[in-house]
Amino acid sequence: MINYYEEQSLIIYLIIIIYIGVRRLMPRKFRKGRMYFWPIIYVLLLIFFSAQVNDPLILLSLLPLGIVGYFLGYRL
């Protein structure tokens, strides 16, 4: 059963994912600021959602997976 806090976090997470998906579909001008802004947003999201995880194995895997995800996203 999902409690109120988990439900609220899930809704926030889904809103952010939908927002990013819609923004990626629209053509935009390239700006250097976005190149630094979005990785900061992703790191803050990683920290925010990692505070809710209780499994130490998942916490240890978040940093390497975050770094790999950053480089994959930067290259694509």
Side-chain angles (χ1 to χ4, degrees), residues 3-23:
N3 64 23
Y4 176 74
Y5 184 70
E6 290 173 351
E7 182 179 325
Q8 186 178 15
S9 296
L10 182 62
I11 290 171
I12 292 170
Y13 180 70
L14 289 175
I15 288 171
I16 292 170
I17 295 298
I18 290 170
Y19 174 75
I20 291 171
V22 168
R23 292 282 298 174

Side-chain angles (χ1 to χ4, degrees), residues 22-66:
V22 168
R23 292 282 298 174
R24 302 263 179 202
L25 294 175
M26 293 186 247
R28 297 173 286 167
K29 291 181 180 179
F30 176 77
R31 291 187 207 163
K32 282 188 176 182
R34 281 193 199 124
M35 208 164 80
Y36 301 110
F37 176 74
W38 285 108
I40 292 170
I41 294 294
Y42 292 141
V43 167
L44 291 175
L45 284 172
L46 181 71
I47 292 170
F48 174 72
F49 288 112
S50 67
Q52 301 173 17
V53 176
N54 295 328
D55 187 13
L57 183 60
I58 293 175
L59 285 175
L60 288 174
S61 68
L62 283 178
L63 184 62
L65 290 174

